[in-house]
Amino acid sequence: MKDIVPSPSAVVRNEYESIRDVFSKNVVPSYARFEIALSHGAGSYVFDVAGRRYLDLAGGIAVNCLGHAHPAIIEALTEQAKKLIHTSNLYYTVPQGRLAAEIVKRIGPGKVFLSNSGVEANEGLFKLARKFGHDEGRFEILTATNSFHGRTLAAIAATGQDKVKKDFDPMTPGFRHIPYNDLDAARAAISPATVAILIEGIQGEGGVTPATPAYLLGLRALCDEKKLLLLLDGVQDGHFRTGKYQSFQRILEAAPGGEKFLPDGLSMAKSLGGGFPMGAFWVRAPHADLLGPGAHATTFGGSPLACAVALKIFEVIEREHLDAQARKLGDWMLDELKRLAEVYPSVVKNARGLGLMLGLELAEKESIPAFASGDKTAAIQFTNRMHAAGVLVVPAGTRIIRLLPALNLKPQEAGEGISKLEEVIKSLA
Ligand SMILES: *Cc1c(COP(=O)(O)O)cnc(C)c1O
């Protein structure tokens, strides 16, 4: 490991430390950041201010779907910036209409609202549900335990994890949690006030747990029976990451009746803009005009610049068949991760995921000798070791490691990632 990642010189160490000092004086300390200051990137590699190279299997948390400094994104940004960056939504622009059509084409009959982030896309779905149930006095949205839906006041109420709610009470009313992948529990939880059920197709922050086909199909039937909206949060698992445009399309591809499945609303963000901040939600046709003029708005959302970038990303993914490539490479990596779980059961308990949304479940911290006495979680300590080995990964919960690389990750880069993972795991076994 040492020869691959030499220690930075004293001068460079000072550079990292001075950057960190500027942060500690001026930036709200709401993030527990790793001790890395990044400077630039190319493809699936990023470089820190010390010139150290990292293989980026974190992908900016499932955002940089074409990697770093992709020429097509640079071109879309610069060409569109020369024409029109922003207009507000008082007017029509060509890119927003085209982008909405591209999204509708890939999900199903309906319409799209463009936002600036994932949490705003979810907020739109909450408002859609409230409006849908308003005249009947229904407002309650059921969400799953261990879910993650963002950090606004409504979204932390929706998120099924206590850690995001702590000290921010009283919670926004109208959200209740049900166990994930448990259809009976969903049925039992419905009250006269319930108007919608919202889940992630694959829980991301919660530890990379896919919904089962039976759960998705069962929720669809249950929502039809009880006149509820079925809402999917596709912010992390969407945009071809699983090998299909949306995760429900991959999860249900072999399920009888799966081809007819559609949610009533679906939120997107992360990879949609490939690093340019943007989000969107799609609403199924019968409800697509529910949010009428004046009901919802954003100043920045759907700007010509954002939409030009998103359109270019669709074009590149399609042209280079990155969906199929993500699927093939992801399936190979999952097999490798499962092999590591078999060879090193004292360190790795399990591996799961779909396409390039992968999770490695570590053993309990106490049973990994090198981690037992550290005050950080197993996930954080493991991530630090991966950084030292020159690979970026994302921790989730206390002992899940997530891999969310670019969809254009190359086979030899995937191989490099797996061998670095194996080195680190071996050193802990
Ligand atoms: C990241 C994420 C969000 C929040 O998106 P932001 O762009 O950070 O607001 C919501 N839901 C899921 C599933 C996410 O992974």
Side-chain angles (χ1 to χ4, degrees):
M1 259 181 267
K2 280 204 191 67
D3 49 331
I4 301 163
V5 188
S7 300
S9 68
V11 175
V12 161
R13 179 164 291 282
N14 284 342
E15 189 177 349
Y16 161 73
E17 277 163 13
S18 67
I19 292 167
R20 192 199 53 198
D21 287 348
V22 175
F23 269 64
S24 52
K25 286 197 190 82
N26 302 287
V27 178
V28 170
S30 64
Y31 301 96
R33 295 176 201 267
F34 292 104
E35 290 178 14
I36 295 175
L38 294 173
S39 138
H40 59 283
S44 279
Y45 290 97
V46 282
F47 298 83
D48 68 12
V49 292
R52 275 181 299 204
R53 191 179 84 151
Y54 301 86
L55 174 66
D56 186 3
L57 299 185
I61 319 186
V63 168
N64 299 305
C65 59
L66 298 185
H68 299 277
H70 194 286
I73 293 186
I74 296 168
E75 188 198 287
L77 276 168
T78 49
E79 290 308 307
Q80 184 60 43
K82 286 181 207 161
K83 282 195 222 159
L84 197 59
I85 291 178
H86 170 85
T87 60
S88 87
N89 282 299
L90 295 172
Y91 316 101
Y92 296 94
T93 60
V94 172
Q96 185 176 138
R98 280 186 55 208
L99 179 63
E102 289 293 319
I103 293 171
V104 167
K105 182 174 97 186
R106 288 175 175 83
I107 301 178
K111 291 182 182 173
V112 168
F113 180 95
L114 276 310
S115 69
N116 309 289
S117 66
V119 78
E120 281 175 78
N122 284 335
E123 188 76 25
L125 293 182
F126 304 154
K127 285 179 73 177
L128 178 82
R130 289 263 178 122
K131 192 106 164 72
F132 175 73
H134 183 263
D135 293 349
E136 298 166 337
R138 297 193 294 153
F139 58 88
E140 185 186 62
I141 301 172
L142 303 179
T143 66
T145 46
N146 278 324
S147 60
F148 181 80
H149 299 298
R151 296 291 201 142
T152 61
L153 278 175
I156 61 171
T159 292
Q161 302 188 51
D162 289 340
K163 68 179 182 201
V164 307
K165 304 177 195 268
K166 191 179 170 293
D167 297 342
F168 294 114
D169 43 284
M171 280 295 114
T172 304
F175 295 94
R176 210 146 42 80
H177 307 312
I178 51 177
Y180 192 63
N181 272 334
D182 184 340
L183 195 56
D184 292 337
R187 177 177 287 276
I190 294 168
S191 81
T194 307
V195 73
I197 299 178
L198 166 69
I199 61 156
E200 293 155 89
I202 304 172
Q203 289 194 330
E205 312 291 311
V208 191
T209 310
T212 63
Y215 188 52
L216 286 182
L217 294 174
L219 284 183
R220 182 65 275 174
L222 181 62
C223 287
D224 289 343
E225 180 194 327
K226 304 283 185 184
K227 294 196 167 48
L228 310 179
L229 296 182
L230 177 56
L231 307 175
L232 293 182
D233 180 337
V235 169
Q236 188 165 150
D237 62 14
H239 226 69
F240 307 101
R241 184 153 294 281
T242 59
K244 292 277 181 148
Y245 181 49
Q246 295 297 332
S247 68
F248 75 83
Q249 294 164 334
R250 166 102 198 238
I251 292 169
L252 293 172
E253 67 184 358
E259 69 289 345
K260 283 199 233 92
F261 175 98
L262 275 180
D264 296 304
L266 186 146
S267 56
M268 297 152 247
K270 293 205 160 94
S271 280
L272 177 62
F276 195 93
M278 64 185 307
F281 65 88
W282 167 92
V283 190
R284 195 181 174 188
H287 314 297
D289 293 332
L290 209 51
L291 293 173
H296 196 48
T298 161
T299 299
F300 291 127
S303 78
L305 189 60
C307 294
V309 172
L311 282 164
K312 184 58 80 175
I313 289 170
F314 269 125
E315 192 188 305
V316 172
I317 289 175
E318 206 112 282
R319 186 177 65 222
E320 299 180 3
H321 307 290
L322 296 181
D323 49 350
Q325 193 180 308
R327 178 184 190 128
K328 203 167 138 216
L329 213 50
D331 289 355
W332 176 79
M333 288 175 85
L334 182 59
D335 284 345
E336 286 295 297
L337 297 177
K338 285 184 171 155
R339 175 182 65 80
L340 295 178
E342 255 168 50
V343 179
Y344 308 99
S346 67
V347 182
V348 181
K349 277 257 181 290
N350 189 10
R352 52 185 181 256
L354 288 170
L356 288 176
M357 181 165 178
L358 296 166
L360 197 62
E361 183 184 335
L362 302 173
E364 302 284 350
K365 174 179 159 185
E366 291 69 28
S367 62
I368 302 174
F371 288 173
S373 60
D375 53 354
K376 298 272 174 21
T377 63
I380 300 283
Q381 296 192 61
F382 189 91
T383 300
N384 281 328
R385 287 186 179 232
M386 289 305 296
H387 290 168
V391 181
L392 302 185
V393 297
V394 188
T398 55
R399 53 192 183 89
I400 310 285
I401 299 299
R402 272 181 296 170
L403 309 181
L404 303 159
L407 305 181
N408 59 0
L409 185 76
K410 297 190 177 76
Q412 76 266 23
E413 293 163 344
E416 179 190 342
I418 293 294
S419 60
K420 295 279 180 66
L421 275 164
E422 182 155 13
E423 266 174 43
V424 168
I425 291 166
K426 199 172 172 184
S427 76
L428 295 168

